[in-house]
Amino acid sequence: MSATFTHRAGNALLIIAVCVLAAGAAAFAYARSAHDSARQAVQAADAEMVQTRSRQARADINRALLASADKLKQQADAAGMVPQGWSERHVNVRQQNLLRTEVNQILAGTARHAGQVMKLEEFELSVTQPDEGLFDMPKTTRQPVMLTLRGMMYFRLGQ
């Protein structure tokens, strides 16, 4: 009886050991799956953190730009550079043949100073004769040059 009992006890212990081993293998597989899931979650969180830092950096830059724009607006207001203090006029000279002295007068009239600013949209100055140069003094001053000048002239209304 004792040999049979020992044999049954050994079989029972073997069955218990196999069950514990199977349970351990199942627990290991579950733990490995959970570890992989956790690793993916950490990678996703890292990617989100990088995006968040990038958005934070952009937000910081935008805040600095807004502060700079506010400061510039205050300086412009203090200097009287408000839109209500300016008037505008369209300038449109299209392919006009003009004498060089007339072109000089027009260009001098568009020069920037404290009371006016010219915003050019189009500018072209060319000679009308193939044998003359734009920057060479012609033999006769009566030969015209072609001028195209288009844009907006802003005038200060008052001091």
Side-chain angles (χ1 to χ4, degrees), residues 30-156:
Y30 174 77
R32 181 169 209 138
S33 174
H35 179 264
D36 291 342
S37 296
R39 184 180 300 163
Q40 289 175 354
V42 166
Q43 288 174 346
D46 285 345
E48 179 128 357
M49 185 170 58
V50 167
Q51 289 178 351
T52 301
R53 284 184 179 155
S54 173
R55 282 185 290 226
Q56 178 67 35
R58 279 184 278 167
D60 291 343
I61 291 170
N62 286 343
R63 270 193 293 279
L65 287 173
L66 283 173
S68 177
D70 286 342
K71 184 178 178 183
L72 188 60
K73 184 181 180 310
Q74 290 171 356
Q75 290 173 348
D77 289 344
M81 302 290 283
V82 294
Q84 298 82 8
W86 291 80
S87 179
E88 61 188 36
R89 180 175 296 152
H90 292 280
V91 176
N92 192 6
V93 178
R94 282 227 181 256
Q95 296 186 340
Q96 294 280 324
N97 284 334
L98 301 169
L99 297 176
R100 290 176 188 253
T101 55
E102 295 171 325
V103 170
N104 287 340
Q105 290 173 353
I106 291 172
L107 294 179
T110 62
R112 178 181 179 169
H113 56 77
Q116 77 181 28
V117 176
M118 177 77 178
K119 177 184 172 192
L120 281 177
E121 296 171 13
E122 184 179 4
F123 175 75
E124 182 181 347
L125 184 62
S126 60
V127 294
T128 57
Q129 302 299 320
D131 60 336
E132 67 181 39
L134 186 61
F135 299 105
D136 299 328
M137 191 59 136
K139 293 183 177 37
T140 65
T141 59
R142 303 300 292 163
Q143 290 182 343
V145 291
M146 187 176 298
L147 175 68
T148 297
L149 178 73
R150 186 171 56 90
M152 185 73 71
M153 178 74 76
Y154 296 96
F155 298 94
R156 189 183 290 263

